[in-house]
Amino acid sequence: MTSTSVFSALAPYGWDSAWADAFTPHDAQGLLPGRVLRVDRGQCDVVTADGVVRADTAFVTPHDPMRVVCTGDWVAVEPAGNPRYVRTYLPRRTAFVRSTSSKRSEGQILAANVDHAIVAVSLAVELDLGRIERFLALAWESGAQPVVVLTKADLVPDAVTLSHLVQDVETTAPGVPVLPVSAVDGDGLEVLVAVVSGGTSVLLGQSGAGKSTLANALLGEDVMEVQAARDVDGKGRHTTTTRNLLALPGGGVLIDTPGLRGVGLWDAEAGVGQVFSEIEERAGQCRFQDCAHESEPGCAVLAAIDSGDLPVRRLESYRKLMRENQWIVAKTDARLRAEIKKDWKRKGAEGRAAMEAKRGKRR
């Protein structure tokens, strides 16, 4: 098959000249390029110029969750064989990673080579701004552009109320488009279609957020199974059980994911900083370079809290995510772990000394 026919067959899945150049050494070995559509039980479905093939991933490091073959990877596949094997994957441009629930503190890659991370948030229940911030931190860290989609907008018929909800999320997500969308009546879908048509998008969110319904609306047909969410809390069962990559009729590629119950950070300090950019900007104006924004004199962050320019909730959420991320990183770095414990002891001693000083003044 000629390179031109390979290009035209794989272009709808994101193949471009840069991927073709990266694949050149594998082409010389007679391997086929393809993109991973889904992975399950050590095997994967790969779309190639010859069609979709089933391939075994045993040759790619199986014991490191950060290096296993993942949905969205571009891979080099054997041209024939039973079983057929994936020999390697091309260097990833972006990777969406979260921490696993294991005690060993490992990262788990959810999707690769993503341009847009769509965070689906249901308007059927009360907004959880802290969870949105957590998703956005991982999205920014991945290298993708986040987009927040407020699903089930038809359940908020009052335009003023909907506007306030959008503003609340926009405050939580600086620099991120916030799109209210109704998959039922199509409101807002045109804008979202325009966004996802330009590359690969991963669809993220909790169970019951309406991801599968949204995916069907973007696909123009009922490809993904849909289940009703519970009225009491808006949660649903996992309609999607694997990560699936689908070419969209209007251009672009969509990766649908199972509902994520746990969204643990994984070395996402830059992502957290991006989510809380207004805090990071003010932190640069603090008197002390290592200001913890707790009680230090000349703290620009606390000054913004006192003036009402910065909500207390934002600072508390920032501290929480920074502490969590620091601890996750420290789990894999003994030296850093010791430094953190030493810093905690120092701050504890300073806090106790400050309390004693206050008591002395009262006497």
Side-chain angles (χ1 to χ4, degrees):
M1 186 171 286
T2 66
S3 58
T4 302
S5 57
V6 169
F7 202 100
S8 61
L10 295 180
Y13 293 90
W15 188 253
D16 58 29
S17 57
W19 287 122
D21 290 343
F23 194 81
T24 301
H26 310 298
D27 187 40
Q29 298 173 29
L31 299 173
L32 301 177
R35 195 165 194 190
V36 177
L37 302 178
R38 67 194 298 266
V39 179
D40 61 273
R41 300 177 184 178
Q43 293 190 318
C44 60
D45 292 336
V46 182
V47 60
T48 71
D50 294 332
V52 177
V53 301
R54 187 75 169 165
D56 196 297
T57 64
F59 277 99
V60 183
T61 308
H63 302 300
D64 183 348
M66 294 287 284
R67 297 179 63 190
V68 297
V69 172
C70 175
T71 302
D73 272 328
W74 284 101
V75 295
V77 187
E78 292 177 343
N82 188 19
R84 183 181 295 202
Y85 288 96
V86 170
R87 286 294 174 172
T88 188
Y89 58 82
L90 300 184
R92 293 161 176 156
R93 294 178 182 175
T94 62
F96 192 93
V97 182
R98 68 168 176 175
S99 66
T100 64
S101 56
S102 72
K103 295 181 180 179
R104 291 181 296 176
S105 180
E106 297 174 326
Q108 178 191 21
I109 181 166
L110 299 180
N113 303 312
V114 172
D115 300 293
H116 305 286
I118 302 172
V119 180
V121 180
S122 173
L123 289 175
V125 294
E126 185 176 353
L127 290 175
D128 185 342
L129 298 179
R131 179 168 287 272
I132 294 173
E133 289 163 344
R134 181 177 291 271
F135 270 111
L136 290 175
L138 293 177
W140 280 121
E141 191 68 32
S142 75
Q145 165 67 50
V147 179
V148 176
V149 174
L150 302 179
T151 65
K152 307 181 184 181
D154 51 288
L155 298 181
V156 188
D158 181 63
V160 175
T161 302
L162 181 59
S163 177
H164 286 318
L165 291 171
V166 171
Q167 289 176 10
D168 286 344
V169 178
E170 286 176 338
T171 302
T172 300
V176 176
V178 178
L179 309 176
V181 171
S182 170
V184 174
D185 54 29
D187 284 350
L189 269 178
E190 287 187 6
V191 179
L192 182 57
V193 167
V195 171
V196 300
S197 64
T200 297
S201 302
V202 62
L203 191 52
L204 307 160
Q206 290 181 284
S207 296
K211 297 189 304 302
S212 294
T213 302
L214 187 61
N216 285 337
L218 292 172
L219 289 162
E221 56 182 318
D222 292 340
V223 174
M224 312 305 296
E225 182 184 353
V226 177
Q227 294 177 349
R230 297 187 304 228
D231 290 335
V232 64
D233 56 10
K235 293 181 180 179
R237 290 170 294 177
H238 290 308
T239 303
T240 305
T241 56
T242 59
R243 286 172 281 280
N244 302 283
L245 185 147
L246 305 154
L248 297 171
V253 175
L254 182 69
I255 299 176
D256 191 22
T257 66
L260 299 176
R261 290 192 180 94
V263 195
L265 300 184
W266 175 256
D267 197 7
E269 182 176 352
V272 174
Q274 187 75 36
V275 175
F276 298 93
S277 56
E278 80 277 31
I279 295 178
E280 295 266 301
E281 183 178 348
R282 288 184 172 91
Q285 302 168 11
C286 292
R287 180 185 302 177
F288 301 110
Q289 198 169 16
D290 61 346
C291 184
H293 322 304
E294 292 176 350
S295 59
E296 296 87 347
C299 175
V301 174
L302 294 180
I305 293 288
D306 292 339
S307 67
D309 291 338
L310 181 66
V312 174
R313 191 205 66 79
R314 286 283 284 173
L315 180 57
E316 291 175 346
S317 185
Y318 172 75
R319 287 170 174 163
K320 178 181 178 180
L321 292 183
M322 277 298 195
R323 283 195 301 266
E324 177 184 329
N325 187 72
Q326 192 177 41
W327 183 244
I328 286 292
V329 174
K331 277 187 175 182
T332 60
D333 189 327
R335 181 182 60 80
L336 180 59
R337 186 163 60 246
E339 290 178 356
I340 290 174
K341 287 183 177 180
K342 182 178 179 181
D343 188 51
W344 284 352
K345 288 182 179 180
R346 177 183 63 79
K347 289 181 177 178
E350 290 175 352
R352 288 191 294 273
M355 288 298 294
E356 289 297 326
K358 287 182 179 179
R359 288 172 184 165
K361 288 181 180 179
R362 289 171 185 166
R363 292 171 187 164

